[in-house]
Amino acid sequence: MQFMSRLDLEAFDETPFAHVFERTAADGYALTTLAAERAIQPDADQRLYTMYYPVGLDVPLPGGARIDQTYEMWRKAMLENPNSDPAAIFIAKRGDEYVGLTSLELLKDGPAITSMTGVSAVHRGHGLALALKLLSFRYLKEHGYRETRAQNDTTNPPILRLNEKLGYQRLPGRLEWEKPLA
Ligand SMILES: CC(C)(COP(=O)(O)OP(=O)(O)OC[C@H]1O[C@@H](n2cnc3c(N)ncnc32)[C@H](O)[C@@H]1OP(=O)(O)O)[C@@H](O)C(=O)NCCC(=O)NCCS
């Protein structure tokens, strides 16, 4: 089952979490955005997709579905979406390698939505998802957003725990049934 959850950005205080930036830096990670990477890496989009693809496969979805997008499908959904902004796609790097991202969908006159948070398997547990989400909240506050949302699957404890820790409140869930017709 999937459910949406919301975070009140006006009430959110990053202070209890901000120590994570020291941790990620001490572990050798840098945090940036796709907009900044495009300025120094001509193939930044392709490199981000290379990191995203296996992480996307790890996202649990209802009915065992998987995020299995070609580069073109991913570009259309994440980069060419009118509600996206390369300055709102946050990337974790280790050296030149992209190892994590958080991306936002910026609904006009509505809440923002985290469209994806993912960290390459070998780089998990260093606080990268937390740090990237904090950067995304800073962006949203600076751009006048008062609420951000996330939609997650009940079979995904890592992101559920992270979002609960940050103070997201659950909204009513969505149940889906599949009936094979043949
Ligand atoms: C979810 C995911 C992004 C977490 O990335 P991460 O960088 O390892 O997470 P962090 O190190 O920042 O962890 C922050 C907090 O999240 C929670 N958390 C992270 N991994 C967890 C796990 N395996 N089990 C339980 N809680 C977990 C904890 O509360 C953790 O805080 P703590 O370290 O103080 O206990 C990562 O597991 C991932 O990429 N999963 C596959 C993609 C996915 O499902 N994305 C979410 C849906 S879009």
Side-chain angles (χ1 to χ4, degrees):
M1 185 180 100
Q2 290 212 324
F3 65 91
M4 190 72 90
S5 54
R6 64 178 293 275
L7 182 72
D8 177 351
L9 288 168
E10 289 179 307
F12 179 74
D13 173 15
E14 74 164 32
T15 312
F17 308 106
H19 55 84
V20 75
F21 294 115
E22 284 168 31
R23 180 178 168 205
T24 55
D27 288 353
Y29 297 100
L31 305 172
T32 183
T33 65
L34 180 59
E37 282 301 298
R38 280 179 175 171
I40 56 172
Q41 300 279 6
D43 59 347
D45 294 0
Q46 178 69 56
R47 289 159 55 118
L48 187 60
Y49 172 74
T50 301
M51 182 273 286
Y52 169 93
Y53 182 78
V55 173
L57 291 176
D58 281 349
V59 178
L61 294 175
R66 305 183 102 189
I67 303 176
D68 188 3
Q69 295 171 318
T70 64
Y71 178 63
E72 284 310 317
M73 288 159 71
W74 172 80
R75 277 197 69 81
K76 283 197 170 61
M78 189 175 285
L79 307 185
E80 292 162 16
N81 178 334
N83 296 324
S84 81
D85 174 1
I89 297 177
F90 300 88
I91 299 174
K93 290 170 73 175
R94 178 140 189 170
D96 259 359
E97 185 193 359
Y98 296 170
V99 301
L101 91 161
T102 283
S103 56
L104 293 173
E105 199 172 347
L106 303 161
L107 302 183
K108 310 271 180 290
D109 306 319
I113 299 176
T114 301
S115 49
M116 171 73 175
T117 298
V119 173
S120 300
V122 296
H123 296 282
R124 290 176 192 161
H126 290 271
L128 291 172
L130 172 59
L132 291 165
K133 289 204 73 153
L134 293 182
L135 290 185
S136 76
F137 298 163
R138 285 183 188 173
Y139 171 99
L140 290 172
K141 285 185 171 209
E142 283 164 16
H143 288 78
Y145 283 85
R146 291 185 290 179
E147 181 181 317
T148 188
R149 295 188 177 198
Q151 180 154 312
N152 299 116
D153 200 280
T154 47
T155 60
N156 197 348
I159 197 72
L160 294 179
R161 296 248 173 89
L162 172 56
N163 287 346
E164 278 163 19
K165 188 161 135 170
L166 287 165
Y168 281 80
Q169 304 289 319
R170 285 192 185 202
L171 296 171
R174 191 179 79 195
L175 288 168
E176 291 182 12
W177 285 268
E178 183 177 296
K179 181 176 180 183
L181 296 177

